[in-house]
Amino acid sequence: MVTPPTEKAQIAALMARMTLPEKIGQLVQADLCCVTPADVRQYHLGSILVGGNSGPGGNDFALAPQWLKAADDFWAASVDTSQGAVGIPIIWGIDAVHGNSNIIGATLFPHNVGLGAAHDPALIERIGAITATEIRVTGQEWTFAPTVTVPQDYRWGRAYEGYSSDPRLVASYVGAMVRGLQGPPDQRDLLARGKVIASTKHFLADGGTKDGVDQGDADIAETELRDIHGLPYGPAVENGVATVMASFSSWQGVKMAGNRSLLTGVLKDRMDFGGFLVTDWNSHGQVAGCTNDSCPQALEAGVDMYMAPDTWKAIYADLLARARAGTLPIDRIDDAVRRVLDVKSRLGLFGAGKPSSRPLSGRFDLLGAPEHRAVAREAVRKSLVLLKNQGVLPIKAGGRLLIAGEGTDDVARQSGGWTITWQGTGLGNDKFPGATSLYSGFRQAVEAGGGSVELNADGNYTRKPDAAVVVFGEKPYAEFQGDRATLALDSDLTGPYQTMRKLKAQGIPVIAVMLTGRPLYTNPALNLADAFVVAWLPGSEGGGVADVLVGDGKGRPRFDFTGSLAARWPLTPNMREGVLYDMNFGLSYASPAPGPWKPLREVDASQAMDSRTWFTAGRAAASWSLLVEGINGTADETRITTVPAEALGGRVKITALDYRVQEGARRFTVTGGPAAIALRNFSPVNLDRETNADVLLLFTARVFGAPESAALTLVGAKGSGSLPVSLTPGDRFVRYGVALKCLRGRGADVTALTKPFVLSTQGAADIALGEVRLGMDAEVVLPCPA
């Protein structure tokens, strides 16, 4: 990205007029949850973003006109020069990772894991261009995409954000998506051309962490770092990507946001990246010696903008104080400011006017426009992978079809995480106007051919069908909430297997359609079904599935399968035990599998995915978080991912302790209360059945120093219940139990628990936690006073 001499001169003149507070402001990005236009005016902020659970006016479900109005309001505040400020326009970043996916009514493309299976770079460029258009409708200018991670362990909760585990395939897509979003690499004045700026992420090797742990450590050789995870950044820079996001993760123990050798030495100096570097959500706080409120190390390492969503005031004040004291090099500050202004100049921001006055703004008819949905539907067709077909596909359009299983008529389920909300959960089909669910797509296709479709999740029917489609797979998740211990479905998601078994016993051909963000062990379903199709996370245009699976009135295909695996498919829940289908495998109507089906070996995967165990072996279960927080609200909440760690301003120190396995427990040393240890799941847990069956909440703990007082709390959506508990110091771990009925009787809404375990303490305390689960085998049952 080369800035023309005239623009360089303009930027230099602008910087000469800027005060130090104005310069620092350009380096800080605040989240919509925690900033106002008045704040932008006062602190001269360079950028705002909208996180996964933010929205104009605090409303995730704000409609498109409200987004555009908010964009105008923040822009007007940023360019206000009435108090003598230079008035530099703000840029608004958004996670438009599979379309403008925060906006109700937008086109939702398949997640990247599906697009990788399409093996079609030209399609990717078209998707990027459509995404840019729909972002511009609502007034934003910057998307935190594309994700160019190269996942090596699909237990990782963000694996579906990667196109493939093959770096060559990922690299072939990067330039296409960047061009789609930004235009050609030398193109400027992007706003006048209907484009936005892109951000490749997460630099570097977030897909190479040990055991696929989100925000973990990539303990890999430099050659692997370069040849696998670094490969996609070549075409990103060559195609002029405007920004790069530094990863939460580490390489060989050094957090990326503080890794000068990679951020500056490799990306900026050796690769000649000319845009600016932004951190991930408070990721600077994980750098050694840093907190969310203070991290000069990140700027010194090469970060140009701090994504400090809820800590931006503290970061601003800290950077400004250090700059005034001369402990932050002014040359590094000026370089960072210059990079931010260069990108804004390339964008055409300085002469663009307010967001609502720009090309495409307010063209709400373009959100989910028919021509955009047509491309998304094409992407769905091309992403489908056929793993098995024993002659039952294509489905005859004129027959009777049963649709069963889970997620059949659920656009949110088929769209996955990063869909309107961060986790993509809690959404009805009313939040997706114009979208087509899988069921709707099948109904339209079959009825168009003169047939009929019946919908019943359990596989029951009023008239025996000619065939049945059974949908199953993962529920939506995002980031660390999707981390898994093994490559297997949770046992509570395998209910559709029984539905398949029942239908097969009745002589009904079964077509299994899997919704998933990653390859998973599914041998029982592969054995049961007559055909097996991986639909990944197709997004808003579920009709693309029926386009390929349902034939014409004579049983001939309307579209063939062209997708193939962009990652290996596991033979068992442990990928180290072998590969069932290798990269690039995929059947088609033109090339069916030879011979009859040979039954696959099945293993018991239920024990490995016991949803009744929430904390064990030193970590929270997949989709759960281990927290330390203040008792009065979550303002001081800290998620514990690595140890040693500190929380509550240093009042709580967290270290590892052996329990059953090495470092299998977490020790919490509290120098002064109040403090609380908590487990949270963003998908509420329903324990009504367990409560009625006298099941206990079990927590195994060793008490080194008893607190002045302690309480156990279950936090539910419609009520919480607390119980005072007495913990006795001792030289071993003790498994305590509390009856769920007791806590329900004290007000806990056990049908929708968001924090099913909160152990709060007063005063000093020293407690090690080894396990939290449900069961009946307590060593000490804590009393429940009337």
Side-chain angles (χ1 to χ4, degrees), residues 140-353:
Q140 288 70 53
E141 308 98 349
W142 180 14
T143 175
F144 302 131
T147 303
V148 299
T149 185
V150 188
Q152 299 300 292
D153 190 327
Y154 277 78
R155 291 175 295 177
W156 183 36
R158 301 193 78 152
Y160 67 80
E161 296 184 51
Y163 295 114
S164 173
S165 59
D166 180 355
R168 294 165 299 179
L169 176 57
V170 178
S172 75
Y173 273 21
V174 176
M177 180 57 83
V178 171
R179 289 192 303 272
L181 292 166
Q182 297 186 168
D186 59 348
Q187 183 166 281
R188 307 189 71 80
D189 203 10
L190 304 188
L191 293 179
R193 304 172 191 274
K195 295 297 184 179
V196 298
I197 54 174
S199 184
T200 43
K201 63 183 185 183
H202 304 85
F203 189 87
L204 186 61
D206 56 337
T209 61
K210 184 179 179 182
D211 298 327
V213 173
D214 191 45
Q215 304 181 19
D217 183 42
D219 187 15
I220 56 178
E222 186 172 357
T223 52
E224 187 176 345
L225 181 77
R226 180 194 66 205
D227 297 342
I228 295 178
H229 304 283
L231 191 67
Y233 283 90
V237 174
E238 290 168 7
N239 283 275
V241 69
T243 72
V244 169
M245 185 181 294
S247 180
F248 268 110
S249 59
S250 310
W251 178 52
Q252 295 186 352
V254 179
K255 282 292 181 180
M256 202 57 58
N259 194 321
R260 178 176 171 79
S261 67
L262 289 175
L263 298 184
T264 298
V266 172
L267 184 63
K268 289 184 173 181
D269 294 344
R270 289 171 57 185
M271 299 185 72
D272 199 26
F273 169 61
F276 72 80
L277 266 166
V278 63
T279 61
D280 206 337
W281 184 279
N282 275 335
S283 64
H284 58 271
Q286 296 187 10
V287 173
C290 291
T291 66
N292 287 354
D293 294 346
S294 174
C295 191
Q297 294 94 319
L299 187 71
E300 292 166 347
V303 165
D304 303 303
M305 182 179 286
Y306 288 76
M307 186 187 291
D310 52 355
T311 59
W312 64 267
K313 281 187 179 179
I315 280 290
Y316 174 92
D318 183 74
L319 291 173
L320 182 58
R322 293 175 187 274
R324 284 173 168 164
T327 58
L328 268 183
I330 190 63
D331 289 348
R332 174 76 270 267
I333 293 171
D334 282 347
D335 175 61
V337 173
R338 187 178 298 108
R339 285 174 174 271
V340 172
L341 297 185
D342 276 350
V343 169
K344 290 185 175 184
S345 178
R346 178 188 179 191
L347 189 58
L349 196 63
F350 292 110

Side-chain angles (χ1 to χ4, degrees), residues 543-580:
V545 177
D547 286 347
V548 182
L549 272 66
V550 178
D552 61 17
K554 297 181 180 180
R556 296 173 300 198
R558 295 182 295 155
F559 296 91
D560 203 349
F561 288 91
T562 59
S564 61
L565 294 177
R568 299 176 302 164
W569 197 276
L571 178 65
T572 75
N574 185 345
M575 183 60 85
R576 288 174 293 185
E577 295 179 356
V579 175
L580 179 60

Side-chain angles (χ1 to χ4, degrees), residues 108-120 123-124 127 163 173 375-387 414 438 513-516 532-549 559-567 569 585-587:
L108 300 178
F109 295 93
H111 269 295
N112 287 354
V113 67
L115 296 179
H119 300 268
D120 190 340
L123 173 65
I124 299 303
I127 288 172
Y163 295 114
Y173 273 21
V375 174
R377 190 161 178 159
E378 176 188 348
V380 174
R381 291 195 296 266
K382 290 182 173 180
S383 69
L384 301 177
V385 177
L386 179 64
L387 298 184
Q414 71 192 41
L438 299 186
V513 174
M514 186 178 185
L515 299 173
T516 182
F532 190 107
V533 178
V534 187
W536 309 109
L537 300 170
S540 61
E541 307 313 302
V545 177
D547 286 347
V548 182
L549 272 66
F559 296 91
D560 203 349
F561 288 91
T562 59
S564 61
L565 294 177
W569 197 276
F585 179 85
L587 304 174

Side-chain angles (χ1 to χ4, degrees), residues 49-52 93-102 142-145 158 201 245 418:
L49 80 149
V50 56
I94 189 170
D95 281 293
V97 296
H98 63 134
N100 196 6
S101 49
N102 285 264
W142 180 14
T143 175
F144 302 131
R158 301 193 78 152
K201 63 183 185 183
M245 185 181 294
W418 298 107

